[in-house]
PDB file of all heavy atoms in Angstrom:
ATOM      1  N   HIS Q  83     165.603  84.073 -41.824  1.00  0.00           N
ATOM      2  CA  HIS Q  83     164.214  84.444 -42.092  1.00  0.00           C
ATOM      3  C   HIS Q  83     163.939  84.273 -43.580  1.00  0.00           C
ATOM      4  O   HIS Q  83     164.733  84.705 -44.410  1.00  0.00           O
ATOM      5  CB  HIS Q  83     163.952  85.905 -41.682  1.00  0.00           C
ATOM      6  CG  HIS Q  83     162.569  86.365 -42.015  1.00  0.00           C
ATOM      7  ND1 HIS Q  83     161.498  86.107 -41.203  1.00  0.00           N
ATOM      8  CD2 HIS Q  83     162.083  87.029 -43.097  1.00  0.00           C
ATOM      9  CE1 HIS Q  83     160.401  86.613 -41.754  1.00  0.00           C
ATOM     10  NE2 HIS Q  83     160.728  87.177 -42.902  1.00  0.00           N
ATOM     11  N   THR Q  85     161.179  84.976 -46.743  1.00  0.00           N
ATOM     12  CA  THR Q  85     160.023  85.814 -47.061  1.00  0.00           C
ATOM     13  C   THR Q  85     158.802  84.959 -47.403  1.00  0.00           C
ATOM     14  O   THR Q  85     157.737  85.489 -47.673  1.00  0.00           O
ATOM     15  CB  THR Q  85     160.328  86.798 -48.210  1.00  0.00           C
ATOM     16  OG1 THR Q  85     160.751  86.039 -49.348  1.00  0.00           O
ATOM     17  CG2 THR Q  85     161.402  87.790 -47.823  1.00  0.00           C
ATOM     18  N   LEU Q 115     150.595  82.093 -44.260  1.00  0.00           N
ATOM     19  CA  LEU Q 115     150.076  83.406 -44.681  1.00  0.00           C
ATOM     20  C   LEU Q 115     149.727  83.284 -46.161  1.00  0.00           C
ATOM     21  O   LEU Q 115     150.585  82.939 -46.960  1.00  0.00           O
ATOM     22  CB  LEU Q 115     151.174  84.445 -44.453  1.00  0.00           C
ATOM     23  CG  LEU Q 115     150.792  85.914 -44.540  1.00  0.00           C
ATOM     24  CD1 LEU Q 115     149.852  86.294 -43.411  1.00  0.00           C
ATOM     25  CD2 LEU Q 115     152.047  86.781 -44.465  1.00  0.00           C
ATOM     26  N   ASP Q 162     154.421  96.544 -34.880  1.00  0.00           N
ATOM     27  CA  ASP Q 162     154.392  95.870 -36.181  1.00  0.00           C
ATOM     28  C   ASP Q 162     153.046  95.201 -36.402  1.00  0.00           C
ATOM     29  O   ASP Q 162     152.493  95.245 -37.503  1.00  0.00           O
ATOM     30  CB  ASP Q 162     155.519  94.840 -36.298  1.00  0.00           C
ATOM     31  CG  ASP Q 162     155.402  94.053 -37.606  1.00  0.00           C
ATOM     32  OD1 ASP Q 162     155.494  94.698 -38.670  1.00  0.00           O
ATOM     33  OD2 ASP Q 162     155.179  92.836 -37.572  1.00  0.00           O
ATOM     34  N   TYR Q 166     150.921  96.220 -39.462  1.00  0.00           N
ATOM     35  CA  TYR Q 166     150.715  95.193 -40.490  1.00  0.00           C
ATOM     36  C   TYR Q 166     149.228  95.000 -40.764  1.00  0.00           C
ATOM     37  O   TYR Q 166     148.799  94.867 -41.919  1.00  0.00           O
ATOM     38  CB  TYR Q 166     151.369  93.860 -40.101  1.00  0.00           C
ATOM     39  CG  TYR Q 166     151.508  92.960 -41.309  1.00  0.00           C
ATOM     40  CD1 TYR Q 166     152.678  92.957 -42.062  1.00  0.00           C
ATOM     41  CD2 TYR Q 166     150.450  92.177 -41.738  1.00  0.00           C
ATOM     42  CE1 TYR Q 166     152.787  92.193 -43.205  1.00  0.00           C
ATOM     43  CE2 TYR Q 166     150.551  91.414 -42.885  1.00  0.00           C
ATOM     44  CZ  TYR Q 166     151.724  91.414 -43.605  1.00  0.00           C
ATOM     45  OH  TYR Q 166     151.819  90.669 -44.748  1.00  0.00           O
ATOM     46  N   ARG Q 169     148.171  97.730 -42.994  1.00  0.00           N
ATOM     47  CA  ARG Q 169     148.708  97.553 -44.351  1.00  0.00           C
ATOM     48  C   ARG Q 169     147.900  96.513 -45.117  1.00  0.00           C
ATOM     49  O   ARG Q 169     147.618  96.658 -46.298  1.00  0.00           O
ATOM     50  CB  ARG Q 169     150.176  97.116 -44.285  1.00  0.00           C
ATOM     51  CG  ARG Q 169     151.111  98.233 -43.877  1.00  0.00           C
ATOM     52  CD  ARG Q 169     152.483  97.692 -43.542  1.00  0.00           C
ATOM     53  NE  ARG Q 169     153.086  96.993 -44.656  1.00  0.00           N
ATOM     54  CZ  ARG Q 169     154.020  96.047 -44.530  1.00  0.00           C
ATOM     55  NH1 ARG Q 169     154.475  95.704 -43.341  1.00  0.00           N
ATOM     56  NH2 ARG Q 169     154.515  95.457 -45.586  1.00  0.00           N
ATOM     57  N   VAL Q 175     150.874  96.639 -48.334  1.00  0.00           N
ATOM     58  CA  VAL Q 175     151.814  95.582 -47.919  1.00  0.00           C
ATOM     59  C   VAL Q 175     153.081  95.641 -48.757  1.00  0.00           C
ATOM     60  O   VAL Q 175     154.195  95.526 -48.244  1.00  0.00           O
ATOM     61  CB  VAL Q 175     151.142  94.183 -48.017  1.00  0.00           C
ATOM     62  CG1 VAL Q 175     152.173  93.071 -47.882  1.00  0.00           C
ATOM     63  CG2 VAL Q 175     150.083  94.026 -46.929  1.00  0.00           C
ATOM     64  N   LEU Q 180     158.525  99.441 -45.789  1.00  0.00           N
ATOM     65  CA  LEU Q 180     157.603  98.938 -44.770  1.00  0.00           C
ATOM     66  C   LEU Q 180     157.867  97.451 -44.497  1.00  0.00           C
ATOM     67  O   LEU Q 180     157.806  97.000 -43.352  1.00  0.00           O
ATOM     68  CB  LEU Q 180     156.141  99.167 -45.175  1.00  0.00           C
ATOM     69  CG  LEU Q 180     155.723 100.640 -45.326  1.00  0.00           C
ATOM     70  CD1 LEU Q 180     154.250 100.747 -45.731  1.00  0.00           C
ATOM     71  CD2 LEU Q 180     155.963 101.430 -44.036  1.00  0.00           C
ATOM     72  N   ILE Q 181     158.175  96.704 -45.530  1.00  0.00           N
ATOM     73  CA  ILE Q 181     158.490  95.276 -45.358  1.00  0.00           C
ATOM     74  C   ILE Q 181     159.781  95.140 -44.551  1.00  0.00           C
ATOM     75  O   ILE Q 181     159.876  94.340 -43.614  1.00  0.00           O
ATOM     76  CB  ILE Q 181     158.663  94.572 -46.730  1.00  0.00           C
ATOM     77  CG1 ILE Q 181     157.348  94.576 -47.509  1.00  0.00           C
ATOM     78  CG2 ILE Q 181     159.161  93.156 -46.549  1.00  0.00           C
ATOM     79  CD1 ILE Q 181     157.495  94.120 -48.969  1.00  0.00           C
ATOM     80  N   SER Q 184     159.292  95.982 -40.943  1.00  0.00           N
ATOM     81  CA  SER Q 184     158.458  94.970 -40.303  1.00  0.00           C
ATOM     82  C   SER Q 184     159.275  93.713 -39.978  1.00  0.00           C
ATOM     83  O   SER Q 184     159.280  93.220 -38.843  1.00  0.00           O
ATOM     84  CB  SER Q 184     157.287  94.638 -41.238  1.00  0.00           C
ATOM     85  OG  SER Q 184     156.620  93.479 -40.828  1.00  0.00           O
ATOM     86  N   ILE Q 185     159.978  93.199 -40.971  1.00  0.00           N
ATOM     87  CA  ILE Q 185     160.751  91.964 -40.758  1.00  0.00           C
ATOM     88  C   ILE Q 185     161.851  92.208 -39.733  1.00  0.00           C
ATOM     89  O   ILE Q 185     162.011  91.448 -38.775  1.00  0.00           O
ATOM     90  CB  ILE Q 185     161.364  91.468 -42.098  1.00  0.00           C
ATOM     91  CG1 ILE Q 185     160.252  90.977 -43.034  1.00  0.00           C
ATOM     92  CG2 ILE Q 185     162.394  90.368 -41.847  1.00  0.00           C
ATOM     93  CD1 ILE Q 185     160.734  90.564 -44.421  1.00  0.00           C
ATOM     94  N   LYS Q 188     160.973  92.675 -35.914  1.00  0.00           N
ATOM     95  CA  LYS Q 188     160.666  91.423 -35.215  1.00  0.00           C
ATOM     96  C   LYS Q 188     161.937  90.626 -34.949  1.00  0.00           C
ATOM     97  O   LYS Q 188     162.103  90.032 -33.899  1.00  0.00           O
ATOM     98  CB  LYS Q 188     159.676  90.601 -36.036  1.00  0.00           C
ATOM     99  CG  LYS Q 188     158.250  91.129 -35.896  1.00  0.00           C
ATOM    100  CD  LYS Q 188     157.275  90.374 -36.743  1.00  0.00           C
ATOM    101  CE  LYS Q 188     157.489  90.667 -38.206  1.00  0.00           C
ATOM    102  NZ  LYS Q 188     156.352  90.424 -39.076  1.00  0.00           N
ATOM    103  N   PHE Q 208     156.302  85.985 -52.488  1.00  0.00           N
ATOM    104  CA  PHE Q 208     155.564  87.149 -52.075  1.00  0.00           C
ATOM    105  C   PHE Q 208     155.961  88.355 -52.948  1.00  0.00           C
ATOM    106  O   PHE Q 208     155.170  89.240 -53.232  1.00  0.00           O
ATOM    107  CB  PHE Q 208     155.936  87.288 -50.607  1.00  0.00           C
ATOM    108  CG  PHE Q 208     155.686  88.565 -49.944  1.00  0.00           C
ATOM    109  CD1 PHE Q 208     154.403  88.950 -49.671  1.00  0.00           C
ATOM    110  CD2 PHE Q 208     156.745  89.357 -49.537  1.00  0.00           C
ATOM    111  CE1 PHE Q 208     154.179  90.137 -49.013  1.00  0.00           C
ATOM    112  CE2 PHE Q 208     156.522  90.529 -48.875  1.00  0.00           C
ATOM    113  CZ  PHE Q 208     155.233  90.922 -48.620  1.00  0.00           C
TER     114      PHE Q 208
HETATM  115  N1  URA Y 501     156.703  89.575 -43.628  1.00  0.00           N
HETATM  116  C1  URA Y 501     156.675  90.411 -42.574  1.00  0.00           C
HETATM  117  O1  URA Y 501     156.913  90.023 -41.448  1.00  0.00           O
HETATM  118  N2  URA Y 501     156.358  91.702 -42.789  1.00  0.00           N
HETATM  119  C2  URA Y 501     156.092  92.179 -44.016  1.00  0.00           C
HETATM  120  O2  URA Y 501     155.831  93.341 -44.139  1.00  0.00           O
HETATM  121  C3  URA Y 501     156.125  91.296 -45.106  1.00  0.00           C
HETATM  122  C4  URA Y 501     156.438  89.985 -44.885  1.00  0.00           C
END
Side-chain angles (χ1 to χ4, degrees):
H83 176 83
T85 57
L115 192 66
D162 175 62
Y166 197 93
R169 287 168 59 205
V175 168
L180 297 180
I181 295 170
S184 167
I185 291 176
K188 282 177 290 202
F208 163 71

